[in-house]
């Protein structure tokens, strides 16, 4: 269910549970036209204004913070496939990330994010929205154990500019030195089968959720057979990766190389 669909459902349930059996009844209470109410409860329509959400919460007792959170998510345009991953990630007790070509989102600097979003064709306003959402996700770093595996080419694939890359490598190195973060680099020339796309695993509450980034589509799933395959792939990548100290040395070398070009 998308954030907009969730919002529509919550609004309708709040109205009915508060005793407004019809949309017209709530419209009279809020002193608005009935179409305002019907559009708010229709997931195909735009997200209601903050003023309508506040009035709805006041009349029905629905938690305004929850309505606002759903509305913000709906307005942000977060893809449907990403919603369950974001929920799993935020509630995880163990996180694992693999990226062959770019720095994993939870480890990106803001400048690196914006450069990536620009490459994808997003305008500045949209890029800022996406960067804000990604930055919020990074708060999980330090709260739970995180294992990051990146391909060697991540260190030298220019994103934005040498200055951006230098700062990004410095940030990666700083993360690698934190107690809750384990960062490994898969050396050049290694053939593990993991070059087809990114792979993220969030484990918590006895469930593992997998987020797979492929060339055709992005998929979030808890299907047992895919979770097993994802875990096996991650273990193979970890086996091929360099130890933490050697990986950190490679990152620091890349940082110096980019700094010299800045």
């Amino acid at each position: 269910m998308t954030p907009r669909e969730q919002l529509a459902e919550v609004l309708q349930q709040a109205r009915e549970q508060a005793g407004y059996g019809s949309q017209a009844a709530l419209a009279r209470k809020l002193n608005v036209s009935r179409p305002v109410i019907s559009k708010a409860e229709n997931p195909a329509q735009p997200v209601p204004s903050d003023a309508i959400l506040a009035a709805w919460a006041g009349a029905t007792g629905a938690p305004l913070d929850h309505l606002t959170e759903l509305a913000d998510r709906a307005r942000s345009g977060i893809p449907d496939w990403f919603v369950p991953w974001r929920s799993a990630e935020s509630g995880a007790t163990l996180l694992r990330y693999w990226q062959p070509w770019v720095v994993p989102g939870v480890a990106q600097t803001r400048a690196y994010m914006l450069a990536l979003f620009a490459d994808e064709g997003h305008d500045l306003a949209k890029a800022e929205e996406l960067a804000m959402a990604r930055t919020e996700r990074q708060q999980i770093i330090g709260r739970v154990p995180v294992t990051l595996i990146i391909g060697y080419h991540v260190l030298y694939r220019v994103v934005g500019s040498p200055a951006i890359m230098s700062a990004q490598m410095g940030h990666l190195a700083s993360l690698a030195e934190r107690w809750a973060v384990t960062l490994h680099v898969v050396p050049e020339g290694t053939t593990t089968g993991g070059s087809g796309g990114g792979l993220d695993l969030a484990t918590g509450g006895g469930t593992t959720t997998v987020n797979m980034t492929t060339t055709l589509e992005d998929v979030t799933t808890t299907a047992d057979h895919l979770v097993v395959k994802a875990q096996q792939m991650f273990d193979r990548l970890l086996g091929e990766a360099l130890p933490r100290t050697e990986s950190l040395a490679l990152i620091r070398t890349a940082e110096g190389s980019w700094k010299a070009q800045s």
Side-chain angles (χ1 to χ4, degrees):
M1 184 180 293
T2 68
R4 182 64 182 97
E5 289 170 340
Q6 292 178 57
L7 178 61
E9 183 177 280
V10 169
L11 291 173
Q12 181 179 346
Q13 289 177 349
R15 170 177 61 78
E16 293 174 347
Q17 290 172 3
Y20 298 99
S22 68
Q23 294 174 340
L26 181 58
R28 287 192 295 272
K29 175 65 176 179
L30 302 187
N31 195 28
V32 298
S33 64
R34 192 191 65 78
V36 170
I37 306 301
S38 65
K39 288 179 179 179
E41 295 182 0
N42 184 348
Q45 293 293 323
V47 176
S49 68
D50 290 341
I52 290 297
L53 293 177
W56 204 295
T60 66
L64 180 57
D65 57 347
H66 183 46
L67 297 183
T68 301
E69 188 265 338
L70 287 174
D72 288 344
R73 283 170 52 195
R75 293 186 185 114
S76 72
I78 296 173
D80 293 355
W81 63 266
F82 193 71
V83 172
W85 168 254
R86 191 170 180 178
S87 175
E89 184 182 56
S90 64
T93 55
L94 174 65
L95 289 166
R96 290 166 285 178
Y97 301 90
W98 152 250
Q99 280 291 341
W101 306 113
V102 298
V103 174
V106 293
Q108 293 173 5
T109 65
R110 184 172 178 278
Y112 188 95
M113 294 177 202
L114 291 174
L116 278 178
F117 294 142
D119 287 345
E120 294 171 1
H122 297 293
D123 61 31
L124 182 58
K126 184 61 176 178
E128 290 283 0
E129 282 185 11
L130 293 171
M132 184 178 298
R134 187 164 291 181
T135 300
E136 289 176 359
R137 290 174 52 212
Q138 295 180 347
Q139 295 176 10
I140 195 73
I141 297 290
R143 296 211 308 262
V144 302
V146 176
T147 299
L148 302 164
I149 307 177
I150 58 175
Y152 178 84
H153 295 290
V154 172
L155 306 181
Y156 292 100
R157 176 178 178 263
V158 62
V159 173
S161 69
I164 289 175
M165 291 301 300
S166 174
Q168 177 63 73
M169 293 302 107
H171 181 61
L172 268 185
S174 296
L175 286 177
E177 293 171 341
R178 297 176 63 171
W179 72 270
V181 177
T182 304
L183 199 159
H184 299 276
V185 177
V186 175
E188 187 176 22
T190 301
T191 56
T192 60
S195 61
L199 179 66
D200 307 326
L201 299 98
T203 300
T207 301
T208 294
T209 301
V210 175
N211 175 39
M212 298 175 288
T213 305
T214 71
T215 55
L216 296 178
E217 65 177 336
D218 300 322
V219 178
T220 297
T221 181
T222 56
D224 289 343
H225 70 290
L226 291 177
V227 169
V228 169
K229 287 183 178 180
Q231 291 174 329
Q232 291 173 341
M233 173 61 73
F234 195 88
D235 288 345
R236 285 199 296 271
L237 288 163
L238 193 58
E240 296 287 353
L242 296 171
R244 295 180 68 180
T245 53
E246 292 180 35
S247 297
L248 178 57
L250 276 181
I251 294 169
R252 288 296 189 192
T253 298
E255 180 188 9
S257 176
W258 288 115
K259 191 174 293 184
Q261 300 175 51
S262 301

